Amino acid sequence: MPGSDVFTPPTSFSSQAHVGSLDEYRSLCRRAEEDPENFWAEMAEAEVHWFEKWSHVFEWNPPFVKWFVGAKTNAAYNCLDRHLETRGDKAALLFEGEPGDRRSISYRELHEMVCRFTNVLKARGSRPGDRAIIYMPMIPEAVVAMLACARLGVTHSVVFGGFSAEALKARIQDLDASLVLTADGGWRRGKEVRLKDAVDEALTDCPGVRNVIVARRCGSSVQMTAGRDHWWHELEEGVGADCPAEVLDAEHPLFVLYTSGTTGKPKGILHTTGGYLTYTTCTMKWVFDLKEDDVYWCTADVGWVTGHSYLVYGPLSAGATCVLYEGAPDYPAWDRWWEIAARDKVTTFYTSPTAIRALIKQGDSYPAKHDLSALRLLGSVGEPINPAAWEWYHRVIGKERCPIVDTWWQTETGGIMISPMPGAVPLKPGSGTFPMPGILPEVVDFEGKPVAPGGEGFLIIKRPWPSMIRTIWGDPQRFEQQYFSRIPGIYFTGDAARCDEDGYYWILGRVDDVMNVSGHRLSTMEVESALVRHPAVAEAAVVGKPHEITGQAVCCFVTLKQGASTDHSALGKELRQWVAHEIGPFARPEEIRFAESLPKTRSGKIMRRLLREIVTSHTVTGDVTTLEDLGVVTKLAAQHDDD
Ligand code: PRX
């Protein structure tokens, strides 16, 4: 049961940890709380290289913040150049492609690859302040693309390769990108995911894109539009690797990452340079206890924030050796991850509860085949980790030796906010435990008043921190309204939480219309908008339904237009495929339910709460007096039994 077991850090771990006791942890927190300016200045000095120092540490005009005001730095310089003297020959990336190809790339080699590609971007006319979309598989060139943009000051937005051409187009347009970096395709479960084809489809409506640079990965034939599309390797021919990093402002926009909000339109979360690097580098030490000879593996895709902060920027800035794997965990068999972990002697492994649950289902024999004894620390991210998954991860993968860091954070927070420091904090399975130094969370009620220990409420963060979201790209009003209006001037996370009597935080899930499917955020509105674009659909309401493996699954209630097909089985299939095409395969609904009408309030709002109850418990309780048509609910609830 969550809360009943407490796991104290093993002495063997604490004795070597960066932060080895609760007292040390508390003293860091005290310093950060009492004197944030000096605390963060000290961290920034210690962890980041600056070309010029700041005039002041932060400037907070809610909802807008600036960190390390006036300072100059460069993210790629921090991830590469500053390591050359001491870590030039150390592996930065241990890459494994799904077909089994492998490359070990040292810091010196990665630096050279990034410098050469930055020169390519310059030669194609890119300048600091331009925007680039990166739509690539998990290959070293994806990391090179990100770092080359960062080196030149081009703001990048990585779009997860599982997003469709439609979703890609919306992001290119919103960002007004002039450059797209992609590949012919990538390997996933033995098949080629044809990325360039999706780019071609997206670009039919994006006149602002002047250059498309295509890395060759799969070798299959692709269309190349003359004047616009270029092969990566051809552009690199004869290009030198001498390319000093641009000296950029600490607040220079490093990247925009689109995430789902409560409307159909994804939000472009903006992160800048100096504060982001400071915070992600610090948390590599605090949370992952990173040591020089660690082999660190974060399984997230570069298309999600975890892939930015804890696969690329955080670990490389901290000088880590990182495993990068292109493909699926079950290809060719369910021990692919464990095979890699054993071969590369992975010490630190960071993944999602969804992945853990999928692995549990395959049984213990897969990990048992491999020597996982190099592991010393395990991590979890993306959703609450259920006790059964925690217990298995701890026993079968960590052999009861390895602490588990359950890390709570968000695209908006840029870095890990609540997580154990593994050498210091006793673990309670299912709890992210305590906040990082300088992070001041609180659980509050509707009016923003603190809830007593043990009570449930909204999770807020009371003070700005270096890696926090700066704005929503092109929409500062939405930024303020979304995050700083419920309690004016205070960051609202959108999550419900409970803080127990010992000060441990338990995250209870989203309080808005955002679903969490396999640890990926997806808004109900986004799926609804996709559905109503289908010619047969009149109205759609989408809710998250509990799912054994993926946490939640997408469940859609649909009403049809007059004259639509009555073959619900075929139409259901078609609509599932339609959503996958409109958003991306990961958003494919688990279930489509057809209804005559949807339950609405008198003002016409669809009552998703009721639908959620229907898919969760198949009954409806609570206040339904504002319903327009009660009969509808009863019918929908009863439908389950007819299925
Ligand atoms: O609801 C929380 C959940 O994921 C949301 C953030 O999603 P996203 O921006 O896509 O970032 C995911 C990776 C950082 C949060 O609002 N979440 C994330 N981590 C946890 C979590 N819920 C519980 N426990 C976690 N460790």
Side-chain angles (χ1 to χ4, degrees), residues 259 305-306 380-385 406-412 493 495 507 509-510 516 519-521:
T259 187
V305 74
T306 309
S380 165
V381 60
E383 54 184 310
I385 179 163
D406 177 357
T407 63
W408 175 85
W409 57 297
Q410 309 177 298
T411 305
E412 292 86 343
T493 64
D495 277 339
I507 307 297
R510 304 286 308 183
N516 190 328
H520 301 152
R521 251 159 86 169

Side-chain angles (χ1 to χ4, degrees), residues 135 165 182-184 194-202 221-223:
Y135 186 61
T182 187
D184 48 0
R194 298 200 37 101
L195 297 169
K196 177 62 167 60
D197 291 355
V199 170
D200 291 341
E201 199 182 325
S221 75
V222 292
Q223 291 276 341

Side-chain angles (χ1 to χ4, degrees), residues 532 534-540 558-562:
V532 296
H534 188 280
V537 175
E539 273 190 312
V558 165
T559 65
L560 295 176
K561 286 187 184 153
Q562 287 278 330

Side-chain angles (χ1 to χ4, degrees), residues 220-238:
S220 54
S221 75
V222 292
Q223 291 276 341
M224 297 293 274
T225 300
R228 186 195 72 187
D229 300 355
H230 313 272
W231 285 107
W232 182 303
H233 60 275
E234 286 178 6
L235 291 183
E236 279 193 338
E237 275 165 28

Side-chain angles (χ1 to χ4, degrees), residues 315-555:
L316 294 180
S317 165
T321 292
C322 307
V323 173
L324 177 72
Y325 170 55
E326 176 188 29
D330 59 345
Y331 190 85
W334 274 101
D335 61 346
R336 185 64 185 268
W337 278 4
W338 313 130
E339 190 191 315
I340 297 172
R343 184 183 325 108
D344 289 340
K345 300 194 170 43
V346 169
T347 59
T348 312
F349 183 73
Y350 189 35
T351 195
S352 67
T354 288
I356 297 165
R357 288 191 294 266
L359 291 159
I360 293 176
K361 225 176 154 193
Q362 308 309 317
D364 298 2
S365 64
Y366 288 105
K369 278 195 245 172
H370 301 278
D371 175 8
L372 301 179
S373 58
L375 281 174
R376 66 182 197 94
L377 180 63
L378 301 172
S380 165
V381 60
E383 54 184 310
I385 179 163
N386 51 305
W390 197 99
E391 190 276 330
W392 185 86
Y393 200 25
H394 188 248
R395 179 174 53 82
V396 178
I397 305 304
K399 309 285 186 281
E400 297 180 352
R401 272 183 297 110
C402 307
I404 297 178
V405 287
D406 177 357
T407 63
W408 175 85
W409 57 297
Q410 309 177 298
T411 305
E412 292 86 343
T413 67
I416 295 167
M417 303 290 277
I418 297 179
S419 164
M421 287 197 186
V425 176
L427 308 174
K428 293 189 187 184
S431 165
T433 74
F434 301 148
M436 292 290 108
I439 304 302
L440 272 59
E442 189 155 59
V443 178
V444 299
D445 64 15
F446 259 111
E447 275 120 44
K449 293 206 196 74
V451 167
E456 294 179 5
F458 302 114
L459 184 66
I460 58 163
I461 312 290
K462 293 192 287 185
R463 257 206 209 150
W465 63 99
S467 66
M468 75 189 284
I469 175 176
R470 295 303 194 265
T471 189
I472 292 178
W473 185 259
D475 202 346
Q477 269 110 28
R478 187 175 178 197
F479 168 61
E480 175 152 28
Q481 184 273 329
Q482 192 96 56
Y483 302 107
F484 291 92
S485 64
R486 185 162 307 217
I487 305 158
I490 303 278
Y491 178 77
F492 181 74
T493 64
D495 277 339
R498 184 166 66 81
C499 182
D500 70 17
E501 284 75 7
D502 303 325
Y504 281 67
Y505 283 86
W506 302 80
I507 307 297
L508 304 170
R510 304 286 308 183
V511 294
D512 49 17
D513 290 325
V514 173
M515 297 172 285
N516 190 328
V517 180
S518 302
H520 301 152
R521 251 159 86 169
L522 193 60
S523 98
T524 54
M525 284 284 290
E526 225 172 321
V527 181
E528 286 166 10
S529 318
L531 282 168
V532 296
R533 284 198 291 270
H534 188 280
V537 175
E539 273 190 312
V542 172
V543 291
K545 166 186 168 171
H547 188 278
E548 199 196 346
I549 305 278
T550 59
Q552 281 189 311
V554 179
C555 179

